Amino acid sequence: MQTTLDLYTDYLLSSFGQTTATGLSRLTDGAVGHDAGTDLLNRLQGDNRTLWQHVKPLIRQIQEPDGVLLTDDSIAHKPHSDENGLVTTHYDHTCSEYVRGINFVSLVYQTTKGQCPLSFEPVIKVQQCELKTHKVVWRSERTKHQMFQDMVRQAHQNAVPFRYVLADSWYTNADNINLVLGLKHHYLGAVKSNLEIALSKHDRANGKFVKISTLQLQPGTVLTVFIRSVQAPVAICGDILPNKDGSVGELLLLTTDVTMTYQQLLTTYQKRWGIEEYHKSLKQNASLEKSPTRTHRTQANHLFASICAYVKLERLRLMAHTNHFALKGRLYLKALQAAFAELAVLKNQLSQHPQMELA
């Protein structure tokens, strides 16, 4: 027998509009009452301990020694919701403006067999009064770096096999690198051009640092250098990327695995795109942004349920040997066919009452 959470995640995957407790009840012809859906989102313990129980079978199915951990944050837009600490204003780099929504950090496990979310943490802010301006502002008591570190530690404790942790330049700092090294794994991430590096141990000992931007790294070149507060050497390289407007940008990478070749660095870092695909599928295929829930708890539990729905979709993807959007397309086609058939029934009924036919 399906649990309420199982039915709710099926509903999230099947829906193409707003997802509500009333909608779930109507979909099941009242088999699941409105109160049952509301109660689920109020009582659910949607935390990482519970998520691990949901994802563990899939993780064990796809795990490989050379797996990678992907981390990044995303924003579930909630433009019509009131601010409550979970829903607040954040800067969205994808549209270069401030938006209202739920900002959350994700950790995703990826192998050649598939990928699966391991953990997540929403950015929860509290109201604080600035001493200088006396303005009340929303601020998080935990940084995204703390969230990242806790999630990587948990993945290690859960015996998830991985070789690299991949991240963008936001997460590339000495504390995060040292954490990954301390767990006997490797870090690979983008860096900013103003990162200061020493070209030798002697230079580092004497405080002789230069910015990466001054090196003019050529594509194909990997340089072993040293950075502040990290004892082990690191490898850096650069790549030229064309932009849509015809200009070019530079991608700078850093890894603690100094044995990697230039091509291995680029190829491995490209896997980080998987977390972008994860966040996109959460929003478009698992109804992440489709819930009108109003309270902090129900909004957080809907986020958790959407992640569980994604895991279910990934299992279906592995079975069907296709992708998430193709599976969602199949559901959409079936929904259209059902609507088309129902319309034919209604038109047939209308034809039996000529006086009601439209001109």
Side-chain angles (χ1 to χ4, degrees):
M1 183 178 177
Q2 284 187 297
T3 64
T4 307
L5 177 59
D6 193 26
L7 284 168
Y8 188 72
T9 53
D10 281 353
Y11 174 45
L12 297 184
L13 294 176
S14 303
S15 178
F16 299 94
Q18 288 286 86
T19 55
T20 64
T22 302
L24 175 59
S25 180
R26 293 176 62 185
L27 178 66
T28 59
D29 289 329
V32 178
H34 172 275
D35 291 343
T38 303
D39 182 59
L40 170 71
L41 295 180
N42 275 303
R43 64 175 171 76
L44 189 62
Q45 294 296 320
D47 54 21
N48 284 323
R49 183 186 296 271
T50 307
L51 180 63
W52 175 246
Q53 300 307 313
H54 283 271
V55 305
K56 185 177 179 180
L58 180 56
I59 294 296
R60 298 309 182 213
Q61 178 186 345
I62 68 172
Q63 67 182 27
E64 294 175 340
D66 288 333
V68 295
L69 298 185
L70 317 175
T71 191
D72 203 356
D73 66 288
S74 187
I75 299 174
H77 290 203
K78 303 279 289 184
H80 306 297
S81 297
D82 295 331
E83 285 190 307
N84 59 15
L86 178 65
V87 176
T88 55
T89 301
H90 306 275
Y91 186 77
D92 190 343
H93 293 277
T94 63
C95 56
S96 301
E97 63 182 12
Y98 284 92
V99 300
R100 182 173 295 183
I102 300 173
N103 188 201
F104 61 100
V105 179
S106 302
L107 189 69
V108 173
Y109 182 58
Q110 184 189 92
T111 69
T112 61
K113 299 177 182 178
Q115 69 177 35
C116 179
L118 277 173
S119 50
F120 73 104
E121 185 171 343
V123 176
I124 300 174
K125 297 183 179 182
V126 296
Q127 287 185 317
Q128 297 177 347
C129 182
E130 291 186 323
L131 293 177
K132 290 184 178 180
T133 64
H134 299 290
K135 290 178 61 177
V136 176
V137 296
W138 291 93
R139 282 206 178 92
S140 174
E141 295 182 323
R142 274 171 59 79
T143 69
K144 293 176 183 177
H145 298 296
Q146 291 172 320
M147 298 176 189
F148 163 79
Q149 291 174 17
D150 286 347
M151 289 191 286
V152 172
R153 285 193 196 96
Q154 192 59 56
H156 179 79
Q157 291 170 8
N158 287 338
V160 177
F162 63 95
R163 182 168 177 79
Y164 298 101
V165 178
L166 310 181
D168 66 13
S169 59
W170 175 267
Y171 295 92
T172 304
N173 61 38
D175 287 341
N176 293 341
I177 292 171
N178 283 327
L179 168 78
V180 175
L181 283 172
L183 297 174
K184 309 302 182 185
H185 303 286
H186 283 296
Y187 184 92
L188 170 54
V191 293
K192 296 179 180 178
S193 60
N194 62 355
L195 176 71
E196 294 186 333
I197 54 98
L199 299 178
S200 68
K201 282 187 177 180
H202 182 267
D203 284 352
R204 183 174 64 181
N206 287 278
K208 186 178 178 181
F209 290 87
V210 296
K211 292 182 179 179
I212 288 184
S213 57
T214 66
L215 300 180
Q216 296 182 339
L217 291 170
Q218 296 300 313
T221 302
V222 178
L223 191 64
T224 300
V225 298
F226 297 84
I227 61 175
R228 299 181 194 271
S229 303
V230 177
Q231 286 299 113
V234 298
I236 59 172
C237 73
D239 189 27
I240 303 300
L241 302 175
N243 295 320
K244 292 181 179 179
D245 60 4
S247 63
V248 294
E250 185 178 31
L251 173 65
L252 298 171
L253 298 178
L254 175 152
T255 182
T256 56
D257 185 356
V258 295
T259 67
M260 296 185 82
T261 66
Y262 178 78
Q263 194 56 53
Q264 286 173 333
L265 270 161
L266 295 185
T267 302
T268 304
Y269 187 72
Q270 285 174 357
K271 295 177 181 179
R272 202 192 73 83
W273 184 251
I275 199 164
E276 305 293 344
E277 295 175 334
Y278 165 65
H279 288 144
K280 183 178 180 180
S281 190
L282 264 184
K283 295 171 184 178
Q284 297 190 22
N285 298 322
S287 302
L288 174 58
E289 298 177 326
K290 302 291 182 61
S291 173
T293 48
R294 298 175 184 236
T295 68
H296 185 295
R297 185 171 184 81
T298 56
Q299 289 164 344
N301 281 332
H302 175 78
L303 167 61
F304 172 81
S306 292
I307 295 172
C308 292
Y310 173 94
V311 174
K312 183 178 291 186
L313 192 60
E314 179 66 7
R315 289 196 183 102
L316 293 171
R317 184 195 70 79
L318 292 173
M319 179 193 68
H321 303 288
T322 183
N323 62 66
H324 290 193
F325 289 90
L327 286 171
K328 191 75 172 185
R330 283 177 60 179
L331 296 178
Y332 183 61
L333 177 60
K334 290 295 183 182
L336 281 177
Q337 289 172 339
F340 196 76
E342 180 63 19
L343 179 60
V345 171
L346 292 173
K347 288 173 64 180
N348 183 58
Q349 292 174 352
L350 183 61
S351 68
Q352 296 175 16
H353 300 82
Q355 70 278 11
M356 296 182 62
E357 287 193 40
L358 297 177

